[in-house]
PDB file of all heavy atoms in Angstrom:
ATOM      1  N   ALA A  96     -29.953   2.859  38.521  1.00  0.00           N
ATOM      2  CA  ALA A  96     -29.110   1.848  37.883  1.00  0.00           C
ATOM      3  C   ALA A  96     -28.413   2.572  36.745  1.00  0.00           C
ATOM      4  O   ALA A  96     -28.877   3.616  36.293  1.00  0.00           O
ATOM      5  CB  ALA A  96     -29.955   0.707  37.345  1.00  0.00           C
ATOM      6  N   HIS A 126     -32.836  -1.224  29.394  1.00  0.00           N
ATOM      7  CA  HIS A 126     -32.762   0.211  29.075  1.00  0.00           C
ATOM      8  C   HIS A 126     -31.335   0.728  29.265  1.00  0.00           C
ATOM      9  O   HIS A 126     -30.795   1.419  28.396  1.00  0.00           O
ATOM     10  CB  HIS A 126     -33.747   0.973  29.975  1.00  0.00           C
ATOM     11  CG  HIS A 126     -33.686   2.460  29.854  1.00  0.00           C
ATOM     12  ND1 HIS A 126     -34.565   3.186  29.086  1.00  0.00           N
ATOM     13  CD2 HIS A 126     -32.829   3.368  30.408  1.00  0.00           C
ATOM     14  CE1 HIS A 126     -34.256   4.480  29.165  1.00  0.00           C
ATOM     15  NE2 HIS A 126     -33.204   4.616  29.977  1.00  0.00           N
ATOM     16  N   GLU A 127     -30.724   0.386  30.384  1.00  0.00           N
ATOM     17  CA  GLU A 127     -29.383   0.909  30.667  1.00  0.00           C
ATOM     18  C   GLU A 127     -28.355   0.346  29.673  1.00  0.00           C
ATOM     19  O   GLU A 127     -27.489   1.067  29.197  1.00  0.00           O
ATOM     20  CB  GLU A 127     -28.961   0.594  32.112  1.00  0.00           C
ATOM     21  CG  GLU A 127     -29.870   1.201  33.193  1.00  0.00           C
ATOM     22  CD  GLU A 127     -30.002   2.725  33.123  1.00  0.00           C
ATOM     23  OE1 GLU A 127     -29.104   3.373  32.562  1.00  0.00           O
ATOM     24  OE2 GLU A 127     -31.011   3.252  33.602  1.00  0.00           O
ATOM     25  N   HIS A 130     -28.358   2.113  26.374  1.00  0.00           N
ATOM     26  CA  HIS A 130     -27.595   3.371  26.320  1.00  0.00           C
ATOM     27  C   HIS A 130     -26.151   3.079  25.867  1.00  0.00           C
ATOM     28  O   HIS A 130     -25.542   3.878  25.174  1.00  0.00           O
ATOM     29  CB  HIS A 130     -27.543   4.041  27.701  1.00  0.00           C
ATOM     30  CG  HIS A 130     -28.753   4.883  28.033  1.00  0.00           C
ATOM     31  ND1 HIS A 130     -29.255   5.847  27.192  1.00  0.00           N
ATOM     32  CD2 HIS A 130     -29.542   4.904  29.135  1.00  0.00           C
ATOM     33  CE1 HIS A 130     -30.305   6.431  27.761  1.00  0.00           C
ATOM     34  NE2 HIS A 130     -30.508   5.873  28.948  1.00  0.00           N
ATOM     35  N   HIS A 135     -24.526   6.172  23.487  1.00  0.00           N
ATOM     36  CA  HIS A 135     -25.073   7.479  23.845  1.00  0.00           C
ATOM     37  C   HIS A 135     -24.059   8.383  24.540  1.00  0.00           C
ATOM     38  O   HIS A 135     -24.103   9.605  24.382  1.00  0.00           O
ATOM     39  CB  HIS A 135     -26.323   7.305  24.717  1.00  0.00           C
ATOM     40  CG  HIS A 135     -27.508   6.848  23.929  1.00  0.00           C
ATOM     41  ND1 HIS A 135     -28.648   6.327  24.495  1.00  0.00           N
ATOM     42  CD2 HIS A 135     -27.726   6.842  22.586  1.00  0.00           C
ATOM     43  CE1 HIS A 135     -29.523   6.020  23.544  1.00  0.00           C
ATOM     44  NE2 HIS A 135     -28.971   6.318  22.383  1.00  0.00           N
ATOM     45  N   LEU A 182     -26.295  11.701  34.465  1.00  0.00           N
ATOM     46  CA  LEU A 182     -27.042  12.880  34.040  1.00  0.00           C
ATOM     47  C   LEU A 182     -28.078  12.440  33.019  1.00  0.00           C
ATOM     48  O   LEU A 182     -27.905  11.434  32.350  1.00  0.00           O
ATOM     49  CB  LEU A 182     -26.089  13.897  33.405  1.00  0.00           C
ATOM     50  CG  LEU A 182     -25.110  14.563  34.358  1.00  0.00           C
ATOM     51  CD1 LEU A 182     -24.185  15.489  33.580  1.00  0.00           C
ATOM     52  CD2 LEU A 182     -25.843  15.344  35.429  1.00  0.00           C
ATOM     53  N   PRO A 183     -29.160  13.205  32.913  1.00  0.00           N
ATOM     54  CA  PRO A 183     -30.167  12.802  31.938  1.00  0.00           C
ATOM     55  C   PRO A 183     -29.599  12.804  30.526  1.00  0.00           C
ATOM     56  O   PRO A 183     -28.838  13.682  30.156  1.00  0.00           O
ATOM     57  CB  PRO A 183     -31.257  13.861  32.085  1.00  0.00           C
ATOM     58  CG  PRO A 183     -30.649  14.972  32.846  1.00  0.00           C
ATOM     59  CD  PRO A 183     -29.526  14.410  33.643  1.00  0.00           C
ATOM     60  N   MET A 184     -29.956  11.800  29.791  1.00  0.00           N
ATOM     61  CA  MET A 184     -29.589  11.751  28.386  1.00  0.00           C
ATOM     62  C   MET A 184     -30.612  12.625  27.659  1.00  0.00           C
ATOM     63  O   MET A 184     -31.586  13.075  28.247  1.00  0.00           O
ATOM     64  CB  MET A 184     -29.687  10.319  27.875  1.00  0.00           C
ATOM     65  CG  MET A 184     -28.728   9.364  28.548  1.00  0.00           C
ATOM     66  SD  MET A 184     -27.081   9.481  27.816  1.00  0.00           S
ATOM     67  CE  MET A 184     -26.196   8.255  28.749  1.00  0.00           C
ATOM     68  N   GLY A 185     -30.399  12.841  26.402  1.00  0.00           N
ATOM     69  CA  GLY A 185     -31.376  13.604  25.637  1.00  0.00           C
ATOM     70  C   GLY A 185     -32.677  12.829  25.506  1.00  0.00           C
ATOM     71  O   GLY A 185     -32.714  11.622  25.716  1.00  0.00           O
ATOM     72  N   GLN A 188     -32.416  10.082  23.027  1.00  0.00           N
ATOM     73  CA  GLN A 188     -31.629   8.951  23.534  1.00  0.00           C
ATOM     74  C   GLN A 188     -32.452   8.126  24.513  1.00  0.00           C
ATOM     75  O   GLN A 188     -32.372   6.901  24.526  1.00  0.00           O
ATOM     76  CB  GLN A 188     -30.361   9.469  24.207  1.00  0.00           C
ATOM     77  CG  GLN A 188     -29.386  10.094  23.230  1.00  0.00           C
ATOM     78  CD  GLN A 188     -28.124  10.579  23.919  1.00  0.00           C
ATOM     79  OE1 GLN A 188     -28.171  11.001  25.077  1.00  0.00           O
ATOM     80  NE2 GLN A 188     -27.009  10.534  23.230  1.00  0.00           N
ATOM     81  N   GLU A 189     -33.247   8.798  25.332  1.00  0.00           N
ATOM     82  CA  GLU A 189     -34.086   8.076  26.291  1.00  0.00           C
ATOM     83  C   GLU A 189     -35.093   7.169  25.590  1.00  0.00           C
ATOM     84  O   GLU A 189     -35.240   6.000  25.942  1.00  0.00           O
ATOM     85  CB  GLU A 189     -34.828   9.060  27.209  1.00  0.00           C
ATOM     86  CG  GLU A 189     -33.988   9.599  28.322  1.00  0.00           C
ATOM     87  CD  GLU A 189     -33.256   8.522  29.090  1.00  0.00           C
ATOM     88  OE1 GLU A 189     -33.847   7.461  29.367  1.00  0.00           O
ATOM     89  OE2 GLU A 189     -32.078   8.726  29.377  1.00  0.00           O
ATOM     90  N   SER A 190     -35.784   7.716  24.593  1.00  0.00           N
ATOM     91  CA  SER A 190     -36.781   6.857  23.952  1.00  0.00           C
ATOM     92  C   SER A 190     -36.103   5.762  23.142  1.00  0.00           C
ATOM     93  O   SER A 190     -36.628   4.650  23.038  1.00  0.00           O
ATOM     94  CB  SER A 190     -37.794   7.645  23.120  1.00  0.00           C
ATOM     95  OG  SER A 190     -37.207   8.748  22.543  1.00  0.00           O
ATOM     96  N   ALA A 192     -33.322   4.259  24.053  1.00  0.00           N
ATOM     97  CA  ALA A 192     -32.946   3.232  25.038  1.00  0.00           C
ATOM     98  C   ALA A 192     -34.170   2.412  25.436  1.00  0.00           C
ATOM     99  O   ALA A 192     -34.072   1.201  25.667  1.00  0.00           O
ATOM    100  CB  ALA A 192     -32.303   3.876  26.254  1.00  0.00           C
ATOM    101  N   ASP A 193     -35.326   3.054  25.514  1.00  0.00           N
ATOM    102  CA  ASP A 193     -36.561   2.314  25.811  1.00  0.00           C
ATOM    103  C   ASP A 193     -36.847   1.274  24.727  1.00  0.00           C
ATOM    104  O   ASP A 193     -37.095   0.104  25.023  1.00  0.00           O
ATOM    105  CB  ASP A 193     -37.761   3.279  25.892  1.00  0.00           C
ATOM    106  CG  ASP A 193     -37.880   3.953  27.254  1.00  0.00           C
ATOM    107  OD1 ASP A 193     -37.200   3.517  28.208  1.00  0.00           O
ATOM    108  OD2 ASP A 193     -38.656   4.921  27.362  1.00  0.00           O
ATOM    109  N   TRP A 214     -42.575   1.710  35.032  1.00  0.00           N
ATOM    110  CA  TRP A 214     -42.596   3.180  35.044  1.00  0.00           C
ATOM    111  C   TRP A 214     -43.789   3.701  35.816  1.00  0.00           C
ATOM    112  O   TRP A 214     -43.723   4.777  36.416  1.00  0.00           O
ATOM    113  CB  TRP A 214     -42.535   3.737  33.615  1.00  0.00           C
ATOM    114  CG  TRP A 214     -41.200   3.439  32.988  1.00  0.00           C
ATOM    115  CD1 TRP A 214     -40.944   2.570  31.972  1.00  0.00           C
ATOM    116  CD2 TRP A 214     -39.925   3.970  33.387  1.00  0.00           C
ATOM    117  NE1 TRP A 214     -39.597   2.533  31.716  1.00  0.00           N
ATOM    118  CE2 TRP A 214     -38.957   3.382  32.567  1.00  0.00           C
ATOM    119  CE3 TRP A 214     -39.518   4.885  34.358  1.00  0.00           C
ATOM    120  CZ2 TRP A 214     -37.598   3.674  32.681  1.00  0.00           C
ATOM    121  CZ3 TRP A 214     -38.170   5.173  34.475  1.00  0.00           C
ATOM    122  CH2 TRP A 214     -37.229   4.570  33.634  1.00  0.00           C
ATOM    123  N   HIS A 228     -33.719   7.919  39.837  1.00  0.00           N
ATOM    124  CA  HIS A 228     -33.895   7.336  38.511  1.00  0.00           C
ATOM    125  C   HIS A 228     -35.077   7.976  37.789  1.00  0.00           C
ATOM    126  O   HIS A 228     -35.036   8.201  36.594  1.00  0.00           O
ATOM    127  CB  HIS A 228     -34.102   5.831  38.621  1.00  0.00           C
ATOM    128  CG  HIS A 228     -33.906   5.115  37.323  1.00  0.00           C
ATOM    129  ND1 HIS A 228     -32.651   4.756  36.870  1.00  0.00           N
ATOM    130  CD2 HIS A 228     -34.768   4.727  36.366  1.00  0.00           C
ATOM    131  CE1 HIS A 228     -32.772   4.170  35.699  1.00  0.00           C
ATOM    132  NE2 HIS A 228     -34.047   4.134  35.375  1.00  0.00           N
ATOM    133  N   THR A 231     -34.131  11.494  36.561  1.00  0.00           N
ATOM    134  CA  THR A 231     -33.272  11.544  35.385  1.00  0.00           C
ATOM    135  C   THR A 231     -33.917  10.855  34.182  1.00  0.00           C
ATOM    136  O   THR A 231     -33.512  11.044  33.068  1.00  0.00           O
ATOM    137  CB  THR A 231     -31.891  10.883  35.635  1.00  0.00           C
ATOM    138  OG1 THR A 231     -32.107   9.537  36.022  1.00  0.00           O
ATOM    139  CG2 THR A 231     -31.115  11.603  36.712  1.00  0.00           C
ATOM    140  N   HIS A 232     -34.904  10.031  34.448  1.00  0.00           N
ATOM    141  CA  HIS A 232     -35.592   9.333  33.367  1.00  0.00           C
ATOM    142  C   HIS A 232     -37.092   9.595  33.514  1.00  0.00           C
ATOM    143  O   HIS A 232     -37.808   8.764  34.044  1.00  0.00           O
ATOM    144  CB  HIS A 232     -35.354   7.825  33.440  1.00  0.00           C
ATOM    145  CG  HIS A 232     -33.928   7.443  33.181  1.00  0.00           C
ATOM    146  ND1 HIS A 232     -32.941   7.579  34.102  1.00  0.00           N
ATOM    147  CD2 HIS A 232     -33.349   6.924  32.075  1.00  0.00           C
ATOM    148  CE1 HIS A 232     -31.794   7.151  33.588  1.00  0.00           C
ATOM    149  NE2 HIS A 232     -32.013   6.756  32.359  1.00  0.00           N
ATOM    150  N   ARG A 238     -44.115   8.644  27.380  1.00  0.00           N
ATOM    151  CA  ARG A 238     -43.193   7.509  27.449  1.00  0.00           C
ATOM    152  C   ARG A 238     -43.973   6.200  27.555  1.00  0.00           C
ATOM    153  O   ARG A 238     -43.665   5.234  26.856  1.00  0.00           O
ATOM    154  CB  ARG A 238     -42.282   7.678  28.661  1.00  0.00           C
ATOM    155  CG  ARG A 238     -41.537   6.420  28.989  1.00  0.00           C
ATOM    156  CD  ARG A 238     -40.553   6.624  30.098  1.00  0.00           C
ATOM    157  NE  ARG A 238     -39.241   6.184  29.654  1.00  0.00           N
ATOM    158  CZ  ARG A 238     -38.117   6.523  30.243  1.00  0.00           C
ATOM    159  NH1 ARG A 238     -38.111   7.313  31.260  1.00  0.00           N
ATOM    160  NH2 ARG A 238     -36.974   6.043  29.794  1.00  0.00           N
TER     161      ARG A 238
HETATM  162 ZN1  LIG B 301     -31.972   6.265  30.329  1.00  0.00          ZN
END
Side-chain angles (χ1 to χ4, degrees):
H126 174 99
E127 299 302 337
H130 276 309
H135 286 164
L182 291 177
M184 297 279 181
Q188 292 181 328
E189 280 310 319
S190 34
D193 277 347
W214 293 110
H228 196 83
T231 58
H232 293 77
R238 167 175 234 162

